[in-house]
mmCIF file of all heavy atoms in Angstrom:
data_model
loop_
_atom_site.group_PDB
_atom_site.id
_atom_site.type_symbol
_atom_site.label_atom_id
_atom_site.label_comp_id
_atom_site.label_asym_id
_atom_site.label_seq_id
_atom_site.Cartn_x
_atom_site.Cartn_y
_atom_site.Cartn_z
ATOM 1 N N THR A 52 33.566 -27.608 30.154
ATOM 2 C CA THR A 52 34.039 -28.805 29.383
ATOM 3 C C THR A 52 35.460 -28.619 28.946
ATOM 4 O O THR A 52 36.094 -27.500 29.091
ATOM 5 C CB THR A 52 33.208 -29.054 28.197
ATOM 6 O OG1 THR A 52 33.290 -28.065 27.293
ATOM 7 C CG2 THR A 52 31.598 -29.318 28.685
ATOM 8 N N SER A 53 36.114 -29.616 28.326
ATOM 9 C CA SER A 53 37.355 -29.565 27.890
ATOM 10 C C SER A 53 37.554 -28.502 26.766
ATOM 11 O O SER A 53 38.637 -27.977 26.632
ATOM 12 C CB SER A 53 37.900 -30.832 27.353
ATOM 13 O OG SER A 53 37.095 -31.383 26.395
ATOM 14 N N ASP A 54 36.434 -28.255 25.984
ATOM 15 C CA ASP A 54 36.473 -27.200 24.947
ATOM 16 C C ASP A 54 35.946 -25.938 25.502
ATOM 17 O O ASP A 54 35.531 -25.006 24.695
ATOM 18 C CB ASP A 54 35.811 -27.720 23.774
ATOM 19 C CG ASP A 54 34.269 -27.946 23.944
ATOM 20 O OD1 ASP A 54 33.754 -27.884 25.093
ATOM 21 O OD2 ASP A 54 33.576 -28.034 22.871
ATOM 22 N N GLU A 55 35.802 -25.766 26.742
ATOM 23 C CA GLU A 55 35.472 -24.420 27.475
ATOM 24 C C GLU A 55 34.000 -24.048 27.175
ATOM 25 O O GLU A 55 33.727 -22.837 27.229
ATOM 26 C CB GLU A 55 36.437 -23.358 26.992
ATOM 27 C CG GLU A 55 37.933 -23.711 27.381
ATOM 28 C CD GLU A 55 38.872 -22.567 27.253
ATOM 29 O OE1 GLU A 55 38.335 -21.463 27.129
ATOM 30 O OE2 GLU A 55 40.064 -22.818 27.357
ATOM 31 N N THR A 56 33.116 -25.052 26.984
ATOM 32 C CA THR A 56 31.734 -24.794 27.064
ATOM 33 C C THR A 56 31.215 -24.634 28.526
ATOM 34 O O THR A 56 31.447 -25.538 29.201
ATOM 35 C CB THR A 56 30.911 -25.761 26.279
ATOM 36 O OG1 THR A 56 31.305 -25.778 24.873
ATOM 37 C CG2 THR A 56 29.357 -25.521 26.391
ATOM 38 N N ALA A 57 30.598 -23.536 28.919
ATOM 39 C CA ALA A 57 30.206 -23.328 30.262
ATOM 40 C C ALA A 57 28.691 -23.348 30.557
ATOM 41 O O ALA A 57 28.029 -22.840 29.647
ATOM 42 C CB ALA A 57 30.705 -21.993 30.752
ATOM 43 N N ASN A 58 28.245 -23.902 31.620
ATOM 44 C CA ASN A 58 26.939 -23.862 31.935
ATOM 45 C C ASN A 58 26.705 -23.439 33.486
ATOM 46 O O ASN A 58 27.607 -23.807 34.251
ATOM 47 C CB ASN A 58 26.203 -25.228 31.797
ATOM 48 C CG ASN A 58 26.133 -25.718 30.334
ATOM 49 O OD1 ASN A 58 26.962 -26.431 29.769
ATOM 50 N ND2 ASN A 58 25.132 -25.186 29.584
ATOM 51 N N TYR A 59 25.611 -22.912 33.823
ATOM 52 C CA TYR A 59 25.331 -22.409 35.137
ATOM 53 C C TYR A 59 23.946 -22.745 35.600
ATOM 54 O O TYR A 59 23.051 -22.784 34.832
ATOM 55 C CB TYR A 59 25.512 -20.809 35.197
ATOM 56 C CG TYR A 59 26.895 -20.421 34.721
ATOM 57 C CD1 TYR A 59 27.111 -20.086 33.376
ATOM 58 C CD2 TYR A 59 27.951 -20.309 35.606
ATOM 59 C CE1 TYR A 59 28.290 -19.654 32.871
ATOM 60 C CE2 TYR A 59 29.167 -19.886 35.098
ATOM 61 C CZ TYR A 59 29.404 -19.510 33.762
ATOM 62 O OH TYR A 59 30.555 -19.028 33.342
ATOM 63 N N VAL A 60 23.802 -22.780 36.926
ATOM 64 C CA VAL A 60 22.480 -22.924 37.473
ATOM 65 C C VAL A 60 21.805 -21.484 37.327
ATOM 66 O O VAL A 60 22.486 -20.441 37.368
ATOM 67 C CB VAL A 60 22.553 -23.400 38.987
ATOM 68 C CG1 VAL A 60 23.216 -22.312 39.844
ATOM 69 C CG2 VAL A 60 21.255 -23.768 39.572
ATOM 70 N N ASP A 61 20.521 -21.558 37.133
ATOM 71 C CA ASP A 61 19.807 -20.334 36.836
ATOM 72 C C ASP A 61 20.050 -19.163 37.830
ATOM 73 O O ASP A 61 20.094 -17.958 37.428
ATOM 74 C CB ASP A 61 18.260 -20.556 36.678
ATOM 75 C CG ASP A 61 17.889 -21.290 35.431
ATOM 76 O OD1 ASP A 61 18.663 -21.404 34.510
ATOM 77 O OD2 ASP A 61 16.742 -21.802 35.344
ATOM 78 N N SER A 62 20.117 -19.564 39.155
ATOM 79 C CA SER A 62 20.231 -18.544 40.168
ATOM 80 C C SER A 62 21.540 -17.723 40.069
ATOM 81 O O SER A 62 21.635 -16.626 40.663
ATOM 82 C CB SER A 62 20.085 -19.200 41.486
ATOM 83 O OG SER A 62 21.142 -20.096 41.800
ATOM 84 N N VAL A 63 22.523 -18.175 39.413
ATOM 85 C CA VAL A 63 23.777 -17.465 39.359
ATOM 86 C C VAL A 63 24.153 -16.889 37.883
ATOM 87 O O VAL A 63 25.139 -16.171 37.826
ATOM 88 C CB VAL A 63 24.980 -18.345 39.838
ATOM 89 C CG1 VAL A 63 24.753 -18.934 41.122
ATOM 90 C CG2 VAL A 63 25.359 -19.456 38.842
ATOM 91 N N LYS A 64 23.327 -17.207 36.945
ATOM 92 C CA LYS A 64 23.619 -16.667 35.610
ATOM 93 C C LYS A 64 23.653 -15.222 35.597
ATOM 94 O O LYS A 64 22.798 -14.476 36.200
ATOM 95 C CB LYS A 64 22.432 -17.279 34.586
ATOM 96 C CG LYS A 64 22.598 -18.593 34.320
ATOM 97 C CD LYS A 64 21.435 -19.110 33.344
ATOM 98 C CE LYS A 64 21.607 -20.521 32.998
ATOM 99 N NZ LYS A 64 20.487 -20.904 32.129
ATOM 100 N N GLY A 65 24.640 -14.636 34.925
ATOM 101 C CA GLY A 65 24.949 -13.251 34.757
ATOM 102 C C GLY A 65 25.724 -12.678 36.027
ATOM 103 O O GLY A 65 26.083 -11.550 35.859
ATOM 104 N N ARG A 66 25.967 -13.495 36.974
ATOM 105 C CA ARG A 66 26.744 -13.002 38.163
ATOM 106 C C ARG A 66 28.035 -13.862 38.343
ATOM 107 O O ARG A 66 29.000 -13.271 38.755
ATOM 108 C CB ARG A 66 25.892 -13.218 39.498
ATOM 109 C CG ARG A 66 24.625 -12.320 39.428
ATOM 110 C CD ARG A 66 23.950 -12.404 40.793
ATOM 111 N NE ARG A 66 23.493 -13.680 41.215
ATOM 112 C CZ ARG A 66 23.909 -14.369 42.309
ATOM 113 N NH1 ARG A 66 24.752 -13.779 43.195
ATOM 114 N NH2 ARG A 66 23.413 -15.578 42.637
ATOM 115 N N PHE A 67 28.013 -15.152 38.092
ATOM 116 C CA PHE A 67 29.226 -15.962 38.228
ATOM 117 C C PHE A 67 29.691 -16.332 36.936
ATOM 118 O O PHE A 67 29.045 -16.504 35.890
ATOM 119 C CB PHE A 67 28.859 -17.261 38.935
ATOM 120 C CG PHE A 67 28.411 -17.132 40.360
ATOM 121 C CD1 PHE A 67 28.213 -15.931 40.977
ATOM 122 C CD2 PHE A 67 28.301 -18.240 41.170
ATOM 123 C CE1 PHE A 67 27.766 -15.822 42.289
ATOM 124 C CE2 PHE A 67 27.961 -18.194 42.507
ATOM 125 C CZ PHE A 67 27.733 -16.987 43.119
ATOM 126 N N THR A 68 31.123 -16.576 36.815
ATOM 127 C CA THR A 68 31.841 -16.945 35.633
ATOM 128 C C THR A 68 32.804 -18.030 35.945
ATOM 129 O O THR A 68 33.676 -17.768 36.859
ATOM 130 C CB THR A 68 32.536 -15.857 34.913
ATOM 131 O OG1 THR A 68 31.638 -14.744 34.591
ATOM 132 C CG2 THR A 68 33.185 -16.264 33.600
ATOM 133 N N ILE A 69 32.777 -19.197 35.257
ATOM 134 C CA ILE A 69 33.719 -20.180 35.489
ATOM 135 C C ILE A 69 34.766 -20.110 34.424
ATOM 136 O O ILE A 69 34.428 -19.876 33.221
ATOM 137 C CB ILE A 69 33.059 -21.648 35.548
ATOM 138 C CG1 ILE A 69 34.114 -22.773 35.898
ATOM 139 C CG2 ILE A 69 32.304 -21.952 34.344
ATOM 140 C CD1 ILE A 69 33.433 -24.089 36.173
ATOM 141 N N SER A 70 36.031 -20.369 34.724
ATOM 142 C CA SER A 70 37.061 -20.461 33.674
ATOM 143 C C SER A 70 38.186 -21.456 34.071
ATOM 144 O O SER A 70 38.168 -21.817 35.240
ATOM 145 C CB SER A 70 37.701 -18.989 33.474
ATOM 146 O OG SER A 70 38.301 -18.492 34.807
ATOM 147 N N ARG A 71 39.037 -21.809 33.132
ATOM 148 C CA ARG A 71 40.060 -22.787 33.441
ATOM 149 C C ARG A 71 41.408 -22.324 32.818
ATOM 150 O O ARG A 71 41.433 -21.677 31.765
ATOM 151 C CB ARG A 71 39.687 -24.108 32.850
ATOM 152 C CG ARG A 71 39.483 -24.222 31.299
ATOM 153 C CD ARG A 71 38.875 -25.504 30.894
ATOM 154 N NE ARG A 71 39.697 -26.732 31.326
ATOM 155 C CZ ARG A 71 39.281 -27.952 31.353
ATOM 156 N NH1 ARG A 71 38.024 -28.257 31.218
ATOM 157 N NH2 ARG A 71 40.113 -28.932 31.732
ATOM 158 N N ASP A 72 42.412 -22.790 33.486
ATOM 159 C CA ASP A 72 43.789 -22.559 32.998
ATOM 160 C C ASP A 72 44.526 -23.919 32.896
ATOM 161 O O ASP A 72 44.968 -24.496 33.972
ATOM 162 C CB ASP A 72 44.536 -21.635 33.956
ATOM 163 C CG ASP A 72 45.957 -21.275 33.438
ATOM 164 O OD1 ASP A 72 46.475 -21.835 32.561
ATOM 165 O OD2 ASP A 72 46.444 -20.287 33.912
ATOM 166 N N ASN A 73 44.603 -24.435 31.714
ATOM 167 C CA ASN A 73 45.075 -25.797 31.566
ATOM 168 C C ASN A 73 46.593 -25.943 31.838
ATOM 169 O O ASN A 73 47.139 -26.944 32.143
ATOM 170 C CB ASN A 73 44.833 -26.330 30.166
ATOM 171 C CG ASN A 73 43.317 -26.657 29.964
ATOM 172 O OD1 ASN A 73 42.677 -26.867 30.925
ATOM 173 N ND2 ASN A 73 42.939 -26.548 28.761
ATOM 174 N N TYR A 74 47.284 -24.776 31.664
ATOM 175 C CA TYR A 74 48.776 -24.736 31.943
ATOM 176 C C TYR A 74 49.097 -24.875 33.426
ATOM 177 O O TYR A 74 50.206 -25.243 33.739
ATOM 178 C CB TYR A 74 49.334 -23.497 31.296
ATOM 179 C CG TYR A 74 49.274 -23.380 29.760
ATOM 180 C CD1 TYR A 74 48.261 -22.646 29.168
ATOM 181 C CD2 TYR A 74 50.228 -24.078 29.107
ATOM 182 C CE1 TYR A 74 48.168 -22.569 27.756
ATOM 183 C CE2 TYR A 74 50.074 -24.077 27.641
ATOM 184 C CZ TYR A 74 49.123 -23.226 27.070
ATOM 185 O OH TYR A 74 49.093 -23.174 25.601
ATOM 186 N N ARG A 75 48.238 -24.429 34.196
ATOM 187 C CA ARG A 75 48.406 -24.436 35.588
ATOM 188 C C ARG A 75 47.604 -25.473 36.430
ATOM 189 O O ARG A 75 47.563 -25.585 37.630
ATOM 190 C CB ARG A 75 48.191 -23.101 36.221
ATOM 191 C CG ARG A 75 49.201 -22.034 35.805
ATOM 192 C CD ARG A 75 48.923 -20.673 36.232
ATOM 193 N NE ARG A 75 49.991 -19.791 35.853
ATOM 194 C CZ ARG A 75 50.015 -19.145 34.725
ATOM 195 N NH1 ARG A 75 49.132 -19.299 33.670
ATOM 196 N NH2 ARG A 75 51.069 -18.256 34.531
ATOM 197 N N ASN A 76 46.846 -26.241 35.697
ATOM 198 C CA ASN A 76 45.850 -27.206 36.252
ATOM 199 C C ASN A 76 44.862 -26.542 37.192
ATOM 200 O O ASN A 76 44.767 -26.977 38.403
ATOM 201 C CB ASN A 76 46.602 -28.338 36.951
ATOM 202 C CG ASN A 76 47.234 -29.414 35.935
ATOM 203 O OD1 ASN A 76 47.094 -29.338 34.745
ATOM 204 N ND2 ASN A 76 47.816 -30.455 36.561
ATOM 205 N N ARG A 77 44.223 -25.520 36.777
ATOM 206 C CA ARG A 77 43.516 -24.684 37.711
ATOM 207 C C ARG A 77 42.169 -24.233 37.158
ATOM 208 O O ARG A 77 42.056 -24.111 35.871
ATOM 209 C CB ARG A 77 44.360 -23.446 37.962
ATOM 210 C CG ARG A 77 43.813 -22.587 39.128
ATOM 211 C CD ARG A 77 44.885 -21.579 39.497
ATOM 212 N NE ARG A 77 46.128 -22.148 39.997
ATOM 213 C CZ ARG A 77 47.174 -21.600 40.122
ATOM 214 N NH1 ARG A 77 47.309 -20.301 39.759
ATOM 215 N NH2 ARG A 77 48.376 -22.131 40.637
ATOM 216 N N VAL A 78 41.130 -24.179 38.009
ATOM 217 C CA VAL A 78 39.812 -23.808 37.589
ATOM 218 C C VAL A 78 39.359 -22.586 38.566
ATOM 219 O O VAL A 78 39.708 -22.676 39.702
ATOM 220 C CB VAL A 78 38.769 -24.968 37.613
ATOM 221 C CG1 VAL A 78 38.585 -25.516 38.949
ATOM 222 C CG2 VAL A 78 37.395 -24.400 37.018
ATOM 223 N N TYR A 79 38.700 -21.631 38.072
ATOM 224 C CA TYR A 79 38.252 -20.383 38.842
ATOM 225 C C TYR A 79 36.777 -20.323 38.798
ATOM 226 O O TYR A 79 36.072 -20.690 37.928
ATOM 227 C CB TYR A 79 38.909 -19.156 38.294
ATOM 228 C CG TYR A 79 40.406 -19.137 38.141
ATOM 229 C CD1 TYR A 79 40.972 -19.598 36.976
ATOM 230 C CD2 TYR A 79 41.157 -18.747 39.309
ATOM 231 C CE1 TYR A 79 42.430 -19.552 36.890
ATOM 232 C CE2 TYR A 79 42.531 -18.823 39.138
ATOM 233 C CZ TYR A 79 43.207 -19.118 37.963
ATOM 234 O OH TYR A 79 44.504 -19.099 37.876
ATOM 235 N N LEU A 80 36.270 -19.640 39.873
ATOM 236 C CA LEU A 80 34.898 -19.188 39.883
ATOM 237 C C LEU A 80 34.833 -17.715 40.303
ATOM 238 O O LEU A 80 35.059 -17.489 41.492
ATOM 239 C CB LEU A 80 34.008 -20.066 40.750
ATOM 240 C CG LEU A 80 32.562 -19.722 40.763
ATOM 241 C CD1 LEU A 80 31.939 -20.032 39.396
ATOM 242 C CD2 LEU A 80 31.793 -20.490 41.876
#
């Protein structure tokens, strides 16, 4: 979300991380 609350499907929890960089208009996985 815009306030950086993250959610994941159960199969990837603990393995994947989503993050965002608002200065570069970018999202990572």
Side-chain angles (χ1 to χ4, degrees):
T52 66
S53 60
D54 65 352
E55 301 192 10
T56 299
N58 293 100
Y59 304 90
V60 67
D61 286 345
S62 61
V63 309
K64 287 180 179 177
R66 300 188 296 120
F67 290 11
T68 302
I69 187 171
S70 61
R71 64 190 296 160
D72 184 344
N73 293 333
Y74 295 98
R75 296 175 173 82
N76 282 3
R77 194 168 294 165
V78 60
Y79 303 93
L80 186 67

